[in-house]
Amino acid sequence: MNTPVQPKPSAQPEFTLQPIEVVSVLGAIGLVLAHLVLFARVPEFWHWSTPLVIVLGLLGADFFATILHWAGDTWGTEATPWLGKRFLHPFRYHHARPLEMLKSHFFTTNGDTALSTLPFLLVPFVISLDTAGGRFTALFFASVGGWGMWTSQFHQWAHVKSPPRVVVWLQRHRVILSREHHLKHHKAPFATNYGITTGWCDGFLNAIRFFTALEWLVTKLTGCRPRSEFE
Ligand SMILES: [Zn+2]
Ligand SMILES: [Zn+2]
């Protein structure tokens, strides 16, 4: 396995506000509110297990964000068709200049992430709430989407030296990604702590060398080398 090194600096990303970013964030917020209204009308949701499923959704959101972050950091180059400029470039640029993301507008920060959570937020509309399994699935997907849409915001706050006090409280109690936890990702070997929602999955995934095994498997199947452009 090659030794990961700091990515090379690349051109500045676009922080120009796009209408799709505003639509994505407002659309995702609208869907979360719609779910709250929908679930509140179902008596079975007023149950002690509901908060547990909501927390499970936060864990799920962190897991999906961890996988996406790892993929964005590890595979392909900025020249990769379709994905390179739009998806991979922001990951590579963030490693080269981590504090540049603090210049990003609220909707630019959260637009892409909100867009990526829309499939999760749409699932509950096609699931029957008549059964316990259906209610669990609907609440879990709504929770993954509802938490996951703020992943980039939590990540950005982890780079802010003096965030708002309520954010500091949430970080200190590990409800959301803490600065101390995330800054380890920005230090050599740059291949741990991929979690950017809460970082809850990192300890377990690091301990079982999850991504080392996954990278070995992907290389075995495709011949692609992880972080090949940074060798
Ligand atoms: Zn990264
Ligand atoms: Zn970061």
Side-chain angles (χ1 to χ4, degrees), residues 39 47-64 136 138-148 154 170 173-176 197-201:
F39 295 158
H47 191 264
W48 62 266
S49 63
T50 295
L52 287 183
V53 182
I54 291 172
V55 173
L56 201 60
L58 180 53
L59 180 69
D62 186 60
F63 180 73
F64 285 118
F136 172 88
L139 182 60
F140 177 73
F141 273 84
S143 180
V144 169
W147 287 113
F154 296 164
L170 291 170
H173 291 82
R174 294 299 307 274
V175 178
I176 63 173
T197 310
T198 62
W200 290 354
C201 297

Side-chain angles (χ1 to χ4, degrees), residues 69 73 91 94-95 182 185-186 190 194:
H69 181 189
D73 273 8
F91 285 99
H94 176 62
H95 274 257
H182 181 60
H185 176 70
H186 286 276
F190 310 104
Y194 287 104

Side-chain angles (χ1 to χ4, degrees), residues 58 62 147 150-151 153-158 163-182 195-200:
L58 180 53
D62 186 60
W147 287 113
W150 300 112
T151 290
Q153 187 62 62
F154 296 164
H155 178 201
Q156 188 190 60
W157 278 334
R165 286 171 71 172
V166 63
V167 173
V168 172
W169 189 92
L170 291 170
Q171 289 177 335
R172 192 172 293 157
H173 291 82
R174 294 299 307 274
V175 178
I176 63 173
L177 182 67
S178 78
R179 178 177 171 80
E180 185 187 33
H181 182 87
H182 181 60
I196 46 174
T197 310
T198 62
W200 290 354

Side-chain angles (χ1 to χ4, degrees), residues 21-160:
E21 294 165 343
V22 179
V23 171
S24 298
V25 172
L26 296 182
I29 291 173
L31 288 174
V32 171
L33 293 176
H35 290 317
L36 287 176
V37 172
L38 187 71
F39 295 158
R41 288 178 175 171
V42 179
E44 286 83 354
F45 276 115
W46 296 93
H47 191 264
W48 62 266
S49 63
T50 295
L52 287 183
V53 182
I54 291 172
V55 173
L56 201 60
L58 180 53
L59 180 69
D62 186 60
F63 180 73
F64 285 118
T66 302
I67 297 290
L68 273 179
H69 181 189
W70 163 78
D73 273 8
T74 307
W75 304 103
T77 71
E78 294 179 34
T80 299
W82 299 100
L83 295 174
K85 194 169 186 300
R86 191 74 179 88
F87 179 72
L88 301 180
H89 174 70
F91 285 99
R92 310 300 161 86
Y93 187 80
H94 176 62
H95 274 257
R97 304 183 195 284
L99 298 183
E100 284 291 308
M101 77 181 307
L102 302 184
K103 300 176 183 172
S104 173
H105 188 281
F106 171 80
F107 287 107
T108 305
T109 300
N110 297 295
D112 279 359
T113 318
L115 187 63
S116 72
T117 59
L118 290 182
F120 291 95
L121 292 171
L122 290 173
V123 165
F125 290 116
V126 295
I127 289 181
S128 168
L129 303 180
D130 294 337
T131 65
R135 288 189 293 275
F136 172 88
T137 307
L139 182 60
F140 177 73
F141 273 84
S143 180
V144 169
W147 287 113
M149 66 170 290
W150 300 112
T151 290
S152 293
Q153 187 62 62
F154 296 164
H155 178 201
Q156 188 190 60
W157 278 334
H159 283 282
V160 176

